[in-house]
Amino acid sequence: MTGYNLPKASWGKGALPVPIMTKRQIKQFLARPLIAHVTTLRSDGSAHTVPVWYQYDDARFYVFTPSLSVKITHLKRDPRLTISIASEDEPYRYVVASGVAVLSVERALERGGAIASRYRGEAGPAFVQAVDTEYGGVTVVMLAPKRLMTWISE
């Protein structure tokens, strides 16, 4: 996995150091139920960005969405995906990950329920079941990032 955070030797003249998070800091930060934003690409190449709930597990990001959502339509045509998660309080932090998304309907209710439980507690699985019923299915989007950028204020 390559990152945008550059070692000190590569800083240009006048560039500021980029304080990057450790793997432990990343895991702790992403364990929080923050709102993420995912970006997919429309057919004209323009960005489509929406807020989502997510789960970070074993260096992978998971998101659930209705199977007929615009995100899924975009990802079936072009699977490139970026997810961005930022803190709302100090110390300010963010993680941005990019790569190729993998779509799955297998065990989507189970994974979706786990994701929703981070935000809705015990009502999470029922919420995902309601989405599944109302929108005709749920798909899980998995991202194993090829690029990862982090930042933490010091």
Side-chain angles (χ1 to χ4, degrees):
M1 177 176 6
T2 60
Y4 296 105
N5 299 326
L6 304 173
K8 187 173 183 176
S10 66
W11 298 345
K13 184 176 181 180
L16 298 174
V18 179
I20 56 179
M21 287 193 231
T22 65
K23 286 182 182 181
R24 182 173 178 254
Q25 287 172 320
I26 292 169
K27 188 174 180 179
Q28 288 175 338
F29 173 66
L30 295 176
R32 297 170 58 189
L34 298 168
I35 301 298
H37 290 84
V38 294
T39 300
T40 59
L41 297 173
R42 294 181 178 103
S43 59
D44 67 2
S46 63
H48 172 76
T49 303
V50 293
V52 296
W53 295 342
Y54 74 95
Q55 180 182 44
Y56 182 72
D57 185 26
D58 196 26
R60 290 176 173 83
F61 294 88
Y62 296 90
V63 171
F64 80 92
T65 187
S67 296
L68 299 176
S69 72
V70 171
K71 293 181 289 298
I72 298 300
T73 301
H74 292 171
L75 290 169
K76 284 180 177 178
R77 182 185 33 74
D78 183 341
R80 291 178 291 174
L81 178 72
T82 296
I83 187 167
S84 172
I85 303 101
S87 63
E88 299 173 354
D89 52 0
E90 292 191 47
Y92 294 113
R93 294 164 278 196
Y94 68 76
V95 171
V96 179
S98 299
V100 175
V102 175
L103 308 178
S104 177
V105 294
E106 249 183 74
R107 299 178 59 175
L109 290 176
E110 181 181 335
R111 175 67 78 170
I115 295 167
S117 292
R118 291 171 29 89
Y119 299 86
R120 293 216 158 185
E122 291 179 12
F127 175 80
V128 176
Q129 184 62 60
V131 170
D132 182 69
T133 301
E134 184 172 343
Y135 295 98
V138 172
T139 298
V140 170
V141 179
M142 186 277 292
L143 177 68
K146 298 293 181 202
R147 293 181 182 254
L148 183 70
M149 177 174 54
T150 70
W151 185 82
I152 185 168
S153 65
E154 297 179 328

